[in-house]
Amino acid sequence: MGNNNDDRPALSDEEWARFMEQAQAGAGQAPQEPSARARMVTARLRAESAEPPGWRTGPAWQEMEGRGRGKRRLKAAGAVVFIAALALIAVRPELLIDRVTGKADRADEAREPLPAETARPSAAPSALDPDRPTLKEPFKGSPALQWADGAAGIELPEAQAVGGMSKEQVADALEKAKQFLVSANLDPATLRGERPAAALELLDPKLKDELSRLEGSLTAPTKENDPLHLFSRVKPTELKPVGDVVKVRGRMWVEPGKEAGQANVLADYTFVYPLVKAKPGAEQVERSIVRREITFSIADPRKWQATAGKIWLEKMNVDLANSACDVYDGFLHPVFDEDRQAGPAPSGTPVDPYDRSKTIDSGGREGCGSLSRT
């Protein structure tokens, strides 16, 4: 049965140029087993690329012979590239499928990095993406795909004199707040459950009760005194990170403190951790999403009992998305398929852990809630 060319979508010159760029970029990649649909397209392309009778005879060939040599040589060069492209399509037919359907363009757009967050978003990220994370693409199907990697996502605002504190003091406080967030949420040692020494060192040693409480949470966690309130941690015997990237999105700003000679540094950040079970052959990737709202403060040592160059912890709120509701051992416990029957069932209206348009206080997320996506 013959092919009906009118029923197939045509590629414009611009689309073909983009496809050729993608084909050349992917030429070095190892071939993959094509899907059934890809095999059908490959068979069709192979049939169409076979040399038809009279390919170089008749009026068309004679007309090209009558044109200038330079143009004909360009045609010949184009034919070589075209044949090379067909050979690549035979190995990787998904390139053409993605280009014709627009899937490649959408995938490229989904990977475009977002500009820094400078104000609270007005809405949640776009609709649910059905793609699931993989070992090679742990952020696939997640809005975090467009978020910054690690500490690059913690961008500091320009320092200004606030609350009687100088510009230099505020700049130092901003930098110390970033260092705390990096140590508490991104440091590999902290993530594997070690004592977050660098973060604790930034806190004012005069806050003896607060420091004692934090140390107690690390050595003997409880529901009320859980190190996850401030630190992101997993048990290396149970879980391991997928890759070395944690995605980060948020912002930091400064406000006057409650009293003269004080300034507050407010931080609101979401961290996305792709994790896999620490056992041979484990392939299922689950993401835990941790959002933290922390208020740090600094005070003028001439007016307050404060240590210069150190920060205080004024307030903290945390949302732990995709971590077991009934476990308070100080570690994150994302739920995998084999764990679905364990623990209490989540309830309530599903919430989106990537939605940063509301504060944690207004989210109504106390208890074991359900999630719309991870």
Side-chain angles (χ1 to χ4, degrees):
M1 183 169 60
N3 293 321
N4 185 358
N5 292 330
D6 294 335
D7 293 336
R8 296 192 303 272
L11 290 175
S12 68
D13 291 343
E14 293 79 4
E15 289 172 325
W16 180 252
R18 290 197 300 271
F19 168 67
M20 287 302 301
E21 291 176 0
Q22 185 181 12
Q24 292 168 359
Q29 299 183 17
Q32 299 178 356
E33 179 67 19
S35 64
R37 181 185 175 196
R39 289 195 293 270
M40 292 173 62
V41 173
T42 302
R44 189 183 74 196
L45 289 170
R46 284 173 175 161
E48 293 173 359
S49 64
E51 183 171 305
W55 187 50
R56 291 197 179 211
T57 60
W61 177 250
Q62 293 170 5
E63 181 182 354
M64 192 176 77
E65 282 287 301
R67 296 170 184 163
R69 180 181 298 272
K71 192 167 186 178
R72 187 168 63 195
R73 290 184 64 178
L74 287 173
K75 289 278 188 180
V80 171
V81 175
F82 180 72
I83 293 170
L86 287 176
L88 178 60
I89 293 169
V91 177
R92 299 186 64 207
E94 70 276 6
L95 291 176
L96 182 57
I97 295 171
D98 289 351
R99 182 57 61 197
V100 172
T101 62
K103 182 178 179 180
D105 287 337
R106 292 193 296 272
D108 290 342
E109 290 175 2
R111 285 169 168 78
E112 285 293 321
L114 294 174
E117 187 177 288
T118 57
R120 186 176 303 285
S122 59
S126 57
L128 181 67
D129 189 326
D131 288 338
R132 295 290 300 156
T134 66
L135 292 173
K136 290 185 177 180
E137 297 184 83
F139 299 101
K140 189 175 184 180
S142 161
L145 193 64
Q146 294 180 276
W147 293 8
D149 294 354
I154 305 176
E155 298 190 29
L156 303 183
E158 183 179 353
Q160 304 284 347
V162 174
M165 306 300 290
S166 70
K167 178 180 178 180
E168 291 73 23
Q169 289 172 314
V170 170
D172 181 69
L174 287 167
E175 184 60 40
K176 296 290 173 54
K178 177 173 181 174
Q179 292 174 17
F180 186 95
L181 292 170
V182 169
S183 175
N185 301 279
L186 302 174
D187 188 323
T190 302
L191 292 177
R192 59 176 176 262
E194 297 181 18
R195 182 177 178 272
L200 296 172
E201 181 63 26
L202 294 166
L203 301 178
D204 193 332
K206 294 182 178 179
L207 301 177
K208 294 182 179 180
D209 290 344
E210 179 68 16
L211 289 171
S212 177
R213 187 186 65 80
L214 290 176
E215 293 285 4
S217 74
L218 293 165
T219 56
T222 65
K223 180 178 180 180
E224 292 73 25
N225 194 23
D226 191 334
L228 290 178
H229 293 162
L230 270 180
F231 310 110
S232 297
R233 312 161 80 231
V234 299
K235 282 184 178 179
T237 56
E238 295 181 5
L239 298 168
K240 62 180 181 180
V242 180
D244 56 1
V245 172
V246 175
K247 289 291 187 176
V248 181
R249 182 77 175 159
R251 63 190 178 103
M252 193 182 299
W253 67 103
V254 181
E255 294 178 352
K258 296 178 180 178
E259 306 286 346
Q262 294 181 0
N264 292 336
V265 175
L266 295 88
D268 179 357
Y269 286 92
T270 303
F271 303 87
V272 183
Y273 303 93
L275 301 163
V276 67
K277 289 206 170 185
K279 62 180 182 180
E283 294 186 352
Q284 184 182 353
V285 178
E286 286 293 337
R287 293 183 288 248
S288 285
I289 302 99
V290 177
R291 183 180 175 190
R292 301 192 185 280
E293 293 177 342
I294 303 178
T295 301
F296 304 94
S297 64
I298 56 172
D300 187 342
R302 297 172 300 179
K303 300 180 179 180
W304 302 93
Q305 293 185 6
T307 303
K310 299 294 184 179
I311 54 178
W312 297 350
L313 282 173
E314 194 75 26
K315 181 182 178 182
M316 53 189 172
N317 286 316
V318 62
D319 249 354
L320 305 176
N322 194 16
S323 186
C325 294
D326 58 341
V327 180
Y328 302 101
D329 61 355
F331 298 99
L332 293 170
H333 294 281
V335 180
F336 293 81
D337 287 346
E338 60 191 86
D339 307 323
R340 297 294 177 187
Q341 302 304 317
S347 60
T349 303
V351 297
D352 183 354
Y354 297 97
D355 184 0
R356 296 182 41 79
S357 65
K358 308 177 184 69
T359 66
I360 293 178
D361 288 338
S362 64
R365 303 178 189 181
E366 193 70 27
C368 188
S370 57
L371 300 172
S372 63
R373 55 179 168 180
T374 58

